[in-house]
Structure formats: structure tokens, C-alpha cells
Amino acid sequence: EAGVTQSPTHLIKTRGQQATLRCSPISGHTSVYWYQQALGLGLQFLLWYDEGEERNRGNFPPRFSGRQFPNYSSELNVNALELEDSALYLCASSFRTGTEAFFGQGTRLTVV
Amino acid sequence: AQSVTQPDIHITVSEGASLELRCNYSYGATPYLFWYVQSPGQGLQLLLKYFSGDTLVQGIKGFEAEFKRSQSSFNLRKPSVHWSDAAEYFCAVGEPGTYKYIFGTGTRLKVLA
């Protein structure tokens, strides 16, 4: 069974640009979570999607947004990139009624 | 607000020695508790989880954790560390009903040969 897959693995963008990160959950999982892992800051909860809707949001500015598609895959969009957005972005998925999340390998976003 | 504290940023142990990684949480009720491990350049792998019941939880790779309600702790233990255990370990609290996970800042484990 395939795990959570994220693309791209690495992404380099210039300050002010937009970045789009993609996540495919484990088959059968309907919930997708996004986390930011910045150096020295640990894992910060970004967004939770379930059944196509945003269910919860972390303490991030509106330029961090996303969506979940009918096949439960998800996109994270970061607009107006800032240098401090450089981080590893991790996606996780779980069953709607499940209580454990499975993580992908992450997308390393570098803003220069 | 719920929070998770991992007081040790770095821990170094010798191979074969015992290990205990500390985790304290703040939450109004009993949360779901997790330990994840992250090897360099990798995503997070679930080691073990606690939802309810027996407070001593067995996980993969020989790890166990004990939930102590009175201390709001969920410490991770392993009786004998292997060099391959060198990684970063994250404690997490899951908020029942919201599936929102709060992670600690992690403990980086170094294993000496």
C-alpha cells in the first residue's frame, strides 16, 4: 500500500513568488493535514482538510491557503513568499474517524 | 490552550544504554498522545500512541511509553539503544474530535558507538 506522497521533493522560489505543494493521502484516508517544520521551530500545524473542506487552521497568515480535491488529494499554496517561509512542509493523512496520522516525506521549500 | 513540552533539545547516549525522552503536555482533558520519530531527510514515523486504557504502551522498534495523568507526562523509553535509533523524536498531543495535532519541538538523539 502506498503511503502519503508529496511533490515536489524540493522547491526553490524567489521572495514574492507563489509556491504550490501537493499531497496525495493514503488510499481511503479523507483527512489531510499540513505542517511547517522550520529550523528551530519544530512542527507547526498549518491546515486540516476533511471531505473537501477546511476544518481547522493554525496561526498562519492568509497567504497560506490550500484546498482538498474530490479524490482527497490536497494542495498547499503559499503566496507572496518570504524568506522565513523556507522550511520542510509535511503532509499527513488519516481516516475521518481515525486518530493517528501518517506522514509523507515532505517538500523542502527554499525561498531566496 | 493545549501545548507540548519536550525539555531536552539534545540527548546523547551510548549504544546499549537505556533511554528516556521526556514529554509533558497541557490539556484540559485526557488527549490522544503520540510519539513520532524522524530520521534525517525523512518524514515522521509513528512509534506508538495512547488513546485510553493501559497506561504503558508498547510501540515499534522496542520503544514504550508511559502515560502519567498526575504528572501530565508521556515519556518514551527504550531499555537498550541501537545506533540506528539516532534521529529526532517528537511527542504530540491529538485533540479528540478535531484531529488537530500539537507537536513538541523535538529531541534530537545522538548514539555513541
Side-chain angles (χ1 to χ4, degrees):
Chain A
E1 178 183 305
V4 178
T5 57
Q6 292 186 244
S7 63
T9 306
H10 294 87
L11 188 59
I12 300 175
K13 291 286 186 179
T14 303
R15 192 170 54 181
Q17 285 188 316
Q18 177 195 45
T20 298
L21 289 64
R22 297 178 177 83
C23 173
S24 293
I26 291 173
S27 178
H29 286 189
T30 60
S31 280
V32 170
Y33 315 84
W34 286 96
Y35 289 85
Q36 182 195 67
Q37 188 178 25
L39 197 62
L41 294 179
L43 282 131
Q44 306 291 321
F45 169 74
L46 262 167
L47 291 159
W48 168 34
Y49 290 96
D50 182 70
E51 297 285 357
E53 295 189 17
E54 183 179 303
R55 301 293 186 178
N56 208 335
R57 183 181 182 86
N59 188 25
F60 281 84
R63 56 191 187 82
F64 286 85
S65 64
R67 54 180 173 169
Q68 187 178 33
F69 299 98
N71 66 353
Y72 303 113
S73 66
S74 176
E75 272 184 2
L76 174 68
N77 295 294
V78 188
N79 295 319
L81 284 165
E82 300 178 2
L83 296 177
E84 52 265 34
D85 296 333
S86 296
L88 180 68
Y89 289 83
L90 290 166
C91 172
S93 73
S94 73
F95 288 110
R96 175 65 179 91
T97 55
T99 51
E100 64 184 84
F102 296 84
F103 284 80
Q105 302 298 315
T107 293
R108 172 76 60 188
L109 173 64
T110 302
V111 182
V112 298
Chain B
Q2 54 269 42
S3 65
V4 178
T5 301
Q6 292 181 248
D8 304 305
I9 298 173
H10 294 96
I11 281 185
T12 300
V13 299
S14 298
E15 190 170 19
S18 63
L19 172 70
E20 183 169 27
L21 302 182
R22 295 182 291 166
C23 173
N24 292 94
Y25 67 89
S26 173
Y27 187 72
T30 300
Y32 299 145
L33 295 161
F34 307 85
W35 275 99
Y36 285 86
V37 60
Q38 184 179 33
S39 298
Q42 301 295 310
L44 274 68
Q45 181 183 20
L46 180 68
L47 283 176
L48 48 78
K49 60 190 178 188
Y50 172 80
F51 298 151
S52 65
D54 193 348
T55 57
L56 186 62
V57 181
Q58 301 297 322
I60 63 171
K61 304 185 180 186
F63 285 93
E64 66 176 27
E66 186 172 12
F67 169 59
K68 293 186 177 180
R69 185 191 308 273
S70 61
Q71 299 176 18
S72 296
S73 69
F74 189 57
N75 294 348
L76 182 71
R77 300 194 294 248
K78 186 169 185 177
S80 178
V81 170
H82 188 262
W83 64 266
S84 60
D85 293 324
E88 190 153 20
Y89 292 79
F90 292 92
C91 180
V93 164
E95 188 175 317
T98 71
Y99 308 101
K100 177 181 172 182
Y101 299 84
I102 305 297
F103 284 82
T105 50
T107 297
R108 186 169 296 278
L109 174 66
K110 182 177 179 180
V111 180
L112 301 176

